[in-house]
DNA sequence: TAAGTTCGTCGCACAATATA
DNA sequence: TATATTGTGCGACGAACTTA
């Protein structure tokens, strides 16, 4: 009965435009996220404008589509889709389940928001100054880069995000990442089209691959050096 | 409140895949 | 192998937001 009612609501919704995200808002996972967000000083906009009407500050209110964009970018490693198809990310059930899964630790959603907010703050104060459209084109790619770099992995499971130590994502680290990502963006033509393309993501992974390989090399040298050191004693 | 700017969605074109 | 179907990338345009 409940299911058929939802079907009718969803069918009717193809005529009157209620954001699709609002139709998912009663799913249990969103209740869990909302509770957890409250404990972290964030307001999850499960019920549209509920916290806005309570006078909560806009930068603490996280909408369902925005959270979907963040998770698509950093957990699913598809920042181009976060940029290109913001509202259609959760239209398809399969895609939706990849973003909002009970298998995920609810903590990954807060970490994602925290990282994304740090990135956006740094992008706004970046020098040379970036236009808002450039910020829009880069923000999800930079966040994904930081996550993969922090984990030192090109492929990782969404739950691994909770292992990231946010305190290691310093403003300097973010600025350095923005510079790297922007260089790739510029080399491809620095357009909105680039930001929505798979090529940009592939190029970013290429760069990440180099960084991760260098890091492994560094660890190897370090362990050899400490081995030699202990042998000489 | 009007003008300018930005963002999100729609729909077209093309590509990839399935089916007869 | 031709045709139909589905998926993807992209540009254009309108809605929403911002600013003066």
């Amino acid at each position: 009965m409940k299911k058929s009612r939802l079907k009718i609501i969803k069918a009717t919704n193809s005529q009157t435009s209620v954001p699709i995200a609002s139709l998912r808002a009663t799913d249990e996972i969103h209740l869990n996220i909302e509770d957890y967000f409250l404990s972290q000083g964030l307001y999850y906009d499960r019920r549209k404008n509920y916290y806005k009407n309570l006078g909560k500050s806009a930068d603490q209110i996280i909408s369902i589509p925005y959270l979907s964009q963040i998770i698509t970018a950093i957990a699913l490693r598809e920042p181009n889709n976060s940029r290109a198809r913001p509202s259609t990310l959760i239209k398809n059930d399969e895609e939706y389940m990849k973003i909002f899964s009970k298998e995920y630790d609810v903590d990954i959603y807060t970490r994602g928001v925290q990282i994304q907010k740090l990135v956006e703050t740094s992008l706004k104060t970046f020098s040379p100054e970036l236009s808002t459209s450039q910020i829009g084109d880069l923000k999800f790619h930079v966040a994904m880069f930081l996550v993969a770099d922090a984990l030192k992995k090109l492929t990782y499971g969404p739950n691994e995000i909770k292992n990231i130590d946010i305190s290691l994502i310093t403003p300097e680290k973010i600025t350095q990442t923005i510079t790297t990502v922007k260089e790739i963006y510029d080399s491809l033509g620095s357009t909105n089209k680039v930001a929505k393309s798979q090529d940009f993501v592939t190029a970013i992974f290429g760069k990440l691959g180099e960084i991760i390989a260098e890091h492994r090399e560094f660890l190897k040298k370090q362990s050899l050096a400490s081995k030699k050191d202990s042998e000489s004693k």
Side-chain angles (χ1 to χ4, degrees):
Chain A
M1 182 60 206
K2 222 178 174 182
K3 270 190 178 171
S4 59
R5 193 191 302 160
L6 194 62
K7 265 188 184 173
I8 293 166
I9 295 171
K10 283 186 180 174
T12 311
N13 191 48
S14 58
Q15 295 153 25
T16 51
S17 178
V18 171
I20 192 85
S22 305
L23 298 177
R24 308 282 196 179
T26 51
D27 292 358
E28 192 188 342
I29 188 165
H30 298 293
L31 302 173
N32 295 340
I33 295 172
E34 185 178 23
D35 278 348
Y36 192 71
F37 272 22
L38 281 172
S39 74
Q40 304 290 313
L42 293 168
Y43 302 103
Y44 189 43
D45 195 33
R46 197 175 57 76
R47 292 155 290 178
K48 190 105 187 74
N49 293 330
Y50 176 74
Y51 290 107
K52 189 183 172 187
N53 294 336
L54 287 180
K56 302 300 179 190
S57 133
D59 60 278
Q60 285 175 287
I61 300 174
I62 312 300
S63 69
I64 298 177
Y66 181 56
L67 187 61
S68 308
Q69 286 177 293
I70 296 173
I71 298 302
T72 301
I74 68 167
L76 307 181
R77 302 183 297 278
E78 297 169 10
N80 55 321
N81 284 332
S82 298
R83 172 67 188 89
R85 288 171 276 284
S87 71
T88 53
L89 292 174
I90 54 172
K91 273 188 183 166
N92 158 316
D93 279 348
E94 204 180 314
E95 291 301 312
Y96 172 78
M97 298 299 284
K98 282 193 212 159
I99 299 168
F100 295 106
S101 165
K102 282 184 190 164
E103 304 293 312
Y104 302 162
D105 190 312
V106 74
D107 194 43
I108 73 160
Y109 297 100
T110 18
R111 300 250 170 169
V113 171
Q114 286 167 346
I115 295 167
Q116 191 63 43
K117 291 281 182 191
L118 288 171
V119 168
E120 290 179 24
T121 305
S122 293
L123 281 165
K124 282 174 193 158
T125 54
F126 188 75
S127 171
E129 201 178 319
L130 298 167
S131 68
T132 45
S133 66
Q134 283 177 315
I135 292 174
D137 281 353
L138 296 170
K139 63 186 184 185
F140 296 114
H141 293 77
V142 171
M144 180 195 73
F145 195 112
L146 281 165
V147 167
D149 190 18
L151 294 170
K152 290 286 182 285
K153 283 180 178 178
L154 290 180
T155 53
Y156 50 84
N159 277 331
E160 292 185 58
I161 292 171
K162 70 171 186 239
N163 301 330
I164 295 173
D165 181 353
I166 302 279
S167 70
L168 296 179
I169 302 182
T170 59
E172 295 74 36
K173 178 80 197 165
I174 303 172
T175 305
Q176 188 194 337
T177 303
I178 294 171
T179 307
T180 307
V181 174
K182 187 166 182 300
E183 270 171 20
I184 300 170
Y185 173 70
D186 288 342
S187 74
L188 294 172
S190 44
T191 59
N192 156 314
K193 195 166 111 182
V194 169
K196 294 176 180 180
S197 73
Q198 183 57 46
D199 284 355
F200 188 20
V201 181
T202 307
I204 288 174
F205 277 119
K207 183 70 190 173
L208 273 166
E210 287 172 24
I211 292 172
I212 293 166
E214 275 169 28
H215 176 73
R216 289 205 180 123
E217 197 59 32
F218 170 77
L219 290 181
K220 213 169 153 185
K221 279 185 187 160
Q222 206 178 34
S223 85
L224 276 176
S226 67
K227 211 174 169 185
K228 268 189 186 172
D229 194 43
S230 63
E231 277 170 6
S232 68
K233 274 179 188 169

